[in-house]
Amino acid sequence: MKLDHITLREIRMPLVTPFETSFGATDERRILLVEVTGEGATGWGEVTAGEKPFYNEESTDIAWYILKHFAIPKALESPLASASEAAGRWSNIRGHQMSTGGLEAALWDWEAKLQGRPLHALLGGVHREIPCGVSIGIKPSIKQLLETIQQEVAAGYQRIKIKIKPGWDIEVLDKVRERFPRLKLMADANSAYTLADKAHLKVLDRFYLMMLEQPLAHDDIIDHAKLQQYIETPVCLDESIRTPRHAEQAIEMGACRIVNIKLGRVGGFLRAKQIHDCCQAAGIPVWCGGMLESGIGRAANIALSTLPNFVLPGDVSASKRYWSQDVIQPEVEVSSRGAIAISDSPGIGYAVQRARIEHLAVRKETFP
Ligand code: OSB
Ligand code: MG
């Protein structure tokens, strides 16, 4: 597989509704898209880094730098036998998984398109539709949160995740449970607590959540293992799992009973599959997380979610929850039963709207 060019673009897209987590709020995304071309086909990938280095150390601007100076030159150095070889090419880059993962994902889309096959087939996917949940940010009031949950339940979503932080947790969950006693519900703290809060977090057991996502530090495994011993609610790790080794070690230590796999956070499809396989072997279910992606990243998440051990509803939801107009056609739609049907079109399975992307682009550079 010989590449001709790689093009980086930054697009700006305002969110339909601002999204707030324990580490801050976002109202406009600055998204890097990677386009790879060669042998008459084109592949697309999305860098899932945030605008600011608050979820992890990566950011839109840093990703551009890492791609331009380190990862793209490696990809262009010589032909690739397959996309599964790509991650090994830049294994000397420490961290920056979201940056390199956007390029890696574009190479998988390209390979699938060269073979005229859907990406989910190339990955070894089995599911024909994927169950969907939604992630609901911190709201200005409990009343607004309850209204949003009501809307998403009415739309058919199979589980609701709410963001929590100190001061927006027990009272909020109490009200949500009072109103929705049978809802499949979970909470995500994005590292807002420490082990000193363990008694406080144990109170959450009373809400019989499906799981508590990333309560403790973004780089911690050991304290999560101590917390999991102490609480009944299953702990799910997000931020802490950046490599297959982290997944192995977290499982060995009993730091979680569920893993959130994000394609970007772990550096692309090869690593995501390795983490998937390691969790499957250990009997740990996984689900696909989201990073407020455009349609390109969303389509990649859908393909990833077809792997067999993606058995819990993910944070992959309809385009219209995020964007007035997405960059793919058709847009991602969710059925009234809260599922996304898998497309069998080649590659990521959705047509990329190049004209719209050019319109949204604020910078662009083609290599070589
Ligand atoms: O922790 O899962 C997270 C969004 C931005 C940063 C981190 C997270 C999230 C989400 C939103 O929960 C998921 C989505 O709807 O894309
Ligand atoms: Mg999370």
Side-chain angles (χ1 to χ4, degrees), residues 223-276:
D223 284 358
H224 280 100
K226 293 181 183 158
L227 181 69
Q228 181 68 92
Q229 286 269 311
Y230 185 74
I231 66 175
E232 304 289 331
T233 307
V235 170
C236 168
L237 290 177
D238 173 357
E239 283 90 328
S240 293
I241 308 296
R242 294 154 173 247
T243 65
R245 215 155 62 97
H246 288 153
E248 283 165 23
Q249 293 179 339
I251 292 167
E252 190 178 319
M253 293 205 61
C256 62
R257 295 193 195 133
I258 298 170
V259 170
N260 165 339
I261 299 184
K262 286 183 181 165
L263 186 58
R265 193 195 69 227
V266 305
F269 283 109
L270 180 76
R271 303 294 180 224
K273 269 159 57 85
Q274 289 169 338
I275 293 172
H276 164 276

Side-chain angles (χ1 to χ4, degrees), residues 142 145-146 149 160 162 168-183 185 207 209:
I142 295 180
L145 176 66
L146 294 174
I149 294 173
I160 300 291
I162 68 166
W168 181 266
D169 50 18
I170 294 173
E171 188 196 344
V172 174
L173 284 164
D174 202 46
K175 291 287 186 321
V176 173
R177 267 298 177 229
E178 187 181 304
R179 171 93 175 263
F180 303 98
R182 279 200 289 269
L183 185 65
L185 180 67
F207 304 116
L209 303 174

Side-chain angles (χ1 to χ4, degrees), residues 19 55 135 161 163 188 190 238 262 290-292 315 322:
F19 190 80
Y55 166 81
S135 174
K161 157 169 142 183
K163 294 289 190 177
D188 185 1
N190 289 107
D238 173 357
K262 286 183 181 165
M291 290 297 294
L292 312 173
D315 278 346
Y322 305 83

